[in-house]
Amino acid sequence: MPDAVTVGGYALGLWWAAGGPTWAGVASIVADEIDGRIARGMRATTEHGSALDWGADVTLTPFAMARLSREIGYGNAGLVAAPVALYAQAR
């Protein structure tokens, strides 16, 4: 179940980053927040699930930063902030 939430959130995040509706981006963030909570609550944490979640974060963060910076008029300049955001998430 937690992996399904991660993959679903990842798909919603990709859709949002490609121009999808705002609700898809918000739902992606919510899914990223609750997938780990679900796994811990079910006592179903795995290295695979952790790697899947991190892979989704690593993939989506640059796309999200690019879309956000485009929407406020800075082109893809937000890509510069992606490594900083990923580092902050890893801590």
Side-chain angles (χ1 to χ4, degrees):
M1 169 121 165
D3 286 353
V5 173
T6 300
V7 171
Y10 176 70
L12 287 168
L14 286 176
W15 180 29
W16 173 80
T22 300
W23 70 262
V26 172
S28 176
I29 292 167
V30 170
D32 186 43
E33 178 59 31
I34 66 170
D35 59 359
R37 292 175 190 253
I38 292 170
R40 288 185 292 280
M42 295 175 65
R43 299 185 197 280
T45 57
T46 64
E47 286 186 38
H48 162 79
S50 179
L52 180 64
D53 185 59
W54 175 242
D57 289 346
V58 167
T59 304
L60 285 176
T61 297
F63 287 127
M65 296 297 210
R67 171 145 184 207
L68 290 171
S69 65
R70 282 193 310 271
E71 287 191 2
I72 61 172
Y74 289 101
N76 288 327
L79 288 171
V80 173
V84 175
L86 288 168
Y87 178 76
Q89 287 178 343
R91 299 200 40 96

